[in-house]
Amino acid sequence: MRKTFKGGVHPPHYKEATEHREIEKARLPQRVIIPLQQHIGAPCELIVKVGDKVKVGQKIGEGKAFVSAPVHASISGEVVSIETLPHPVGGKVLSVVIQSDGLDEVDNNIKPFGSIESLSPEELKKIIREAGIVGMGGAAFPTQVKLSPPPEKTIDTVIINGAECEPYLTADHRVMLERTEDVVFGIKVVMRAVGVSSVYIGIEDNKPDAIKKLEEAVSGEENIKVIPLRAKYPQGGEKQLIYAITGREVPSGGLPMEVGVIVQNVGTVTAIARAVKTGMPLIERVVTVTGSGVKKPRNLLARIGTPFKDLIEECGGFNGTPGKVIMGGPMMGIAQTSLEVPVIKGTSGILVLTKEEAKQYEPGPCIKCARCVDICPINLLPTRISHFSQMGMWDEAEEYNALDCIECGSCSYICPSKIPLVQRIRIAKGEILARKRKK
């Protein structure tokens, strides 16, 4: 029996349009927009000015805080403006706009760092930090911080997340098939950086070709094992993945390191491999551009900072009038109000839905069916927290562990009355956190 977790839902996969399409290099953008915040933590400090000439891989924003990550120029050209611009996760962020010179000239400081064995764990972590690598599954937590747990926390297991449970998205799937060697190389970097000898690669069983390819790639590696997982949403959630593979439960309010585990996405370890092998920081990523609302769905290797509209145009443009454009998948993705927003480090996909697919339904009354309770992967009471949120009862929402909600959207998906449960819980979480910051 395939390993899995408690609860969860089974939305249609909708991956057929791109799961067999190889990764293609996107056209070099004429202009990129590099936000100084693309990660969880403190924003970067600006280290360039308007008029500066920059090259590919050159650092343009310094992450000085411990929880931060620098940003780099993804094309060569001139800094033409520095201003607050719309960000794909919402609001506006100070951003560096670079106009391409068409040369795609690489910064002179970009050089290979040598073999893994020749580098100490601290040197590897420094390389990862300077490369601006963050979790590329969408959370965008600085990777170097994840790899530096407090001394009192003993880490004995690393899990590589190849689940990609969100419908439509196939970027990680293609990375596992086409960049298998880099996935394994990046895993070995993480093993040396953290000092662990036990690694599991978790892949949902709706990707049998990726399971086979990685099993072959690690067949000679005693300490790296591929674990096929039952395809179920949200299998790619950190806590769900840890439980499915190790049987360990991360406590309420805790992090994976509380149970001795670090989780890294397959895209992240691939970026780590590139940084060590070539010296190139994180300046591009694979983006699945898909959905019924786009003419030619594809998996594109896009430079960070490329406007969404450029990638949609490269995929043939809209198929009719779009109903909604989402960064990420339909369950946890973020709806966009502008196509001028750029690809950032956490952009795994751009999903275009038709008007019919994006149709909003009027919520009905709760019929007390408890389906949301049955499927909640965190064992919460979504309807109760939703009610507290509507009533502005933030203390009560916190008592019912609203902050533990991973916002997977399973409750909203399963609700027969179409009640926007996760949206209301998200509001409660925001209010609770805002009140905590004021104390």
Side-chain angles (χ1 to χ4, degrees), residues 69 91 98 163 286 385 394:
I98 302 170
V286 180
I385 301 172
W394 313 125

Side-chain angles (χ1 to χ4, degrees), residues 75-320:
I75 59 174
S76 63
E78 180 179 348
V79 176
V80 294
S81 74
I82 298 170
E83 55 188 310
T84 55
L85 292 169
H87 193 281
V89 301
K92 292 186 175 182
V93 170
L94 188 64
S95 306
V96 178
V97 182
I98 302 170
Q99 188 69 35
S100 174
D101 57 13
L103 302 175
D104 207 25
E105 194 173 358
V106 175
D107 184 70
N108 294 332
N109 294 317
I110 306 300
K111 294 175 183 174
F113 285 100
S115 68
I116 299 173
E117 295 74 21
S118 68
L119 297 162
S120 70
E122 291 309 312
E123 287 172 325
L124 290 169
K125 290 177 196 174
K126 184 178 179 184
I127 291 168
I128 292 167
R129 176 180 173 80
E130 288 300 303
I133 296 173
V134 303
M136 295 174 70
F141 192 82
T143 300
Q144 178 267 342
V145 179
K146 255 192 180 182
L147 301 182
S148 306
E152 67 272 18
K153 302 293 183 187
T154 301
I155 305 299
D156 61 17
T157 302
V158 168
I159 294 176
I160 305 302
N161 188 352
E164 199 168 50
C165 59
E166 269 272 3
Y168 289 97
L169 304 184
T170 57
D172 287 351
H173 185 179
R174 295 310 310 180
V175 164
M176 288 188 283
L177 288 175
E178 299 179 47
R179 299 184 170 186
T180 316
E181 185 181 332
D182 279 348
V183 172
V184 176
F185 187 97
I187 288 172
K188 292 181 178 178
V189 172
V190 171
M191 291 172 73
R192 183 165 174 76
V194 184
V196 300
S197 58
S198 181
V199 175
Y200 300 103
I201 307 171
I203 307 173
E204 284 194 337
D205 59 8
N206 61 353
K207 306 173 190 63
D209 48 357
I211 292 172
K212 183 169 184 272
K213 190 78 182 285
L214 273 161
E215 282 179 338
E216 291 171 354
V218 302
S219 60
E221 306 288 344
E222 185 180 344
N223 299 321
I224 306 176
K225 298 187 185 309
V226 177
I227 307 294
L229 303 163
R230 184 181 166 197
K232 184 170 64 168
Y233 182 85
Q235 183 64 83
E238 277 192 338
K239 293 180 179 179
Q240 290 67 47
L241 199 55
I242 292 169
Y243 181 83
I245 292 178
T246 70
R248 303 176 190 175
E249 291 193 57
V250 180
S252 173
L255 297 170
M257 65 180 173
E258 308 289 344
V259 293
V261 179
I262 287 175
V263 180
Q264 295 290 343
N265 173 268
V266 290
T268 308
V269 292
T270 305
I272 290 172
R274 189 178 189 206
V276 175
K277 283 182 173 179
T278 70
M280 183 59 75
L282 180 50
I283 54 110
E284 61 186 3
R285 67 155 298 143
V286 180
V287 180
T288 302
V289 184
T290 187
S292 306
V294 68
K295 287 182 178 175
K296 297 176 183 176
R298 301 164 75 181
N299 295 301
L300 293 175
L301 180 62
R303 299 292 174 94
I304 301 297
T306 305
F308 278 23
K309 67 178 177 58
D310 286 11
L311 296 187
I312 292 171
E313 287 173 5
E314 196 162 349
C315 292
F318 291 128
N319 192 16

